[in-house]
């Protein structure tokens, strides 16, 4: 086995939850157990559903305040901090991998981690001692996002954990009180089967080929980070090496979270 193969990190897609995730009796432990079973990353690159910006943007490379991009929650959720080190070396590697004629990469040095990044990381790496870089989604086009993931894939051989952070189903307006909506359960079951079958074409065209696709994702930003993760796995020939590490539902939304490699 080569040193690169020994060092290669998996690629993750996780359902990140809202700030009250910290109060859930089960989910924080699932995230903590997941990270405990992974090789220790040298750095973490996060693509979150909550940062869309084109051209593709790199967030702060030194600690800056978090982005509390939510409203109407109790005050203590706005007091959470996560002082992970910045990752300037990783940012430079990302620039080299992604920047090309007609494909600019911009820096947004005052843009801190949003809740799609820090909420799960607080549970997975609570010591905040792993450098973190957040990268924007410049598009919601699944094909283009997979290509971004493929171009980022070499980072995995340098000990970088690539994380796509979204939610496997996400339609807050269609939730009802109590129980699991049929559209959420149906999409979750379909998505699990498509992932297990390696049916990339179906996943890329999920709004048309899945049951209740437009109800599960009336806007696709929470499913889109999956395609960055899939691209990073595809470049290493690891789309078939996937497993759902977390499943089930939270307030009616599918919290399926997947590891490749």
């Amino acid at each position: 086995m080569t040193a690169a193969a020994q060092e290669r990190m998996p690629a993750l897609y996780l359902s990140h939850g809202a700030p009250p995730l910290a109060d859930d009796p089960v989910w924080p432990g699932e995230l903590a157990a997941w990270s405990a079973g992974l090789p220790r990353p040298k750095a973490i690159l996060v693509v979150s559903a909550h940062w869309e910006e084109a051209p593709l943007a790199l967030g702060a490379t030194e600690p800056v305040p978090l982005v509390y991009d939510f409203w109407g929650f109790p005050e203590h959720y706005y007091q959470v901090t996560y002082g992970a080190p910045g990752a300037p070396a990783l940012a430079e590697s990302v620039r080299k991998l992604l920047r090309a004629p007609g494909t600019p990469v911009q820096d947004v040095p005052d843009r801190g981690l949003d809740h799609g990044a820090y909420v799960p990381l607080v549970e997975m790496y609570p010591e905040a001692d792993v450098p973190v870089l957040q990268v924007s989604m410049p598009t919601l086009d699944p094909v283009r996002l997979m290509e971004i993931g493929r171009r980022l894939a070499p980072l995995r051989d340098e000990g970088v954990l690539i994380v796509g952070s979204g939610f496997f189903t996400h339609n807050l307006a269609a939730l009802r009180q109590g129980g699991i909506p049929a559209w959420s359960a149906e999409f979750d079951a379909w998505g699990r089967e498509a992932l297990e079958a390696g049916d990339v074409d179906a996943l890329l065209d999920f709004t048309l080929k899945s049951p209740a696709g437009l109800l599960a994702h009336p806007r696709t930003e929470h499913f889109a980070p999956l395609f960055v993760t899939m691209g990073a796995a595809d470049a290493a020939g690891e789309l078939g090496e996937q497993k759902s590490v977390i499943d089930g539902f939270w307030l009616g939304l599918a919290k399926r979270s997947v590891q490749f490699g």
Side-chain angles (χ1 to χ4, degrees):
M1 182 179 290
T2 67
Q6 291 174 344
E7 198 173 45
R8 177 177 294 157
M9 293 297 297
L12 314 183
Y13 169 80
L14 57 81
S15 295
H16 58 243
L21 165 64
D23 304 322
D24 188 84
V26 175
W27 201 355
E30 292 177 319
L31 288 166
W34 191 1
S35 59
L38 299 174
R40 181 168 175 81
K42 293 181 179 177
I44 300 170
L45 186 153
V46 181
V47 178
S48 162
H50 296 279
W51 192 17
E52 298 173 53
E53 185 160 343
L56 185 141
L58 308 182
T61 56
E62 60 184 45
V64 298
L66 300 176
V67 177
Y68 302 103
D69 52 336
F70 46 85
W71 298 266
F73 287 87
E75 180 60 27
H76 67 274
Y77 293 121
Y78 301 90
Q79 305 304 319
V80 173
T81 60
Y82 192 73
L90 175 56
E92 184 57 31
S93 295
V94 172
R95 291 186 195 101
K96 291 177 180 177
L97 290 168
L98 296 183
R99 184 175 282 158
T103 310
V105 175
Q106 61 174 320
D107 292 284
V108 185
D110 59 349
R111 212 280 182 180
L113 302 176
D114 62 45
H115 84 268
Y118 78 77
V119 165
L121 291 180
V122 164
E123 310 303 335
M124 299 178 79
Y125 298 97
E127 298 301 318
D129 55 357
V130 180
V132 179
L133 176 70
Q134 186 167 348
V135 176
S136 75
M137 286 193 296
T139 177
L140 295 181
D141 177 16
V143 173
R144 290 178 60 194
L145 290 173
M146 276 198 73
E147 181 56 30
I148 290 171
R150 291 187 188 98
R151 291 166 67 180
L152 292 172
L155 297 172
R156 296 176 57 202
D157 290 326
E158 300 173 11
V160 176
L161 181 64
I162 295 176
V163 178
S165 177
F167 225 126
F168 208 73
T169 62
H170 193 265
N171 184 346
L172 302 181
L175 288 176
R176 63 172 184 266
Q177 292 296 318
I180 300 166
W183 53 263
S184 189
E186 290 169 3
F187 185 90
D188 180 60
W190 172 87
R192 174 183 57 78
E193 293 173 2
L195 285 164
E196 290 176 351
D199 193 343
V200 175
D201 289 341
L203 290 163
L204 289 172
D205 199 16
F206 70 94
T207 57
L208 296 177
K209 294 185 177 179
S210 64
L214 290 178
L215 268 176
H217 291 284
R219 193 171 185 279
T220 61
E221 80 285 348
H222 276 77
F223 205 57
L226 172 64
F227 299 106
V228 177
T229 302
M230 287 175 58
D234 185 42
E238 293 178 343
L239 280 178
E241 299 178 32
Q242 68 81 34
K243 59 181 177 180
S244 289
V245 179
I246 297 173
D247 59 12
F249 297 84
W250 185 69
L251 302 181
L253 301 177
K255 60 179 186 175
R256 186 168 303 280
S257 300
V258 184
Q259 176 176 325
F260 294 88

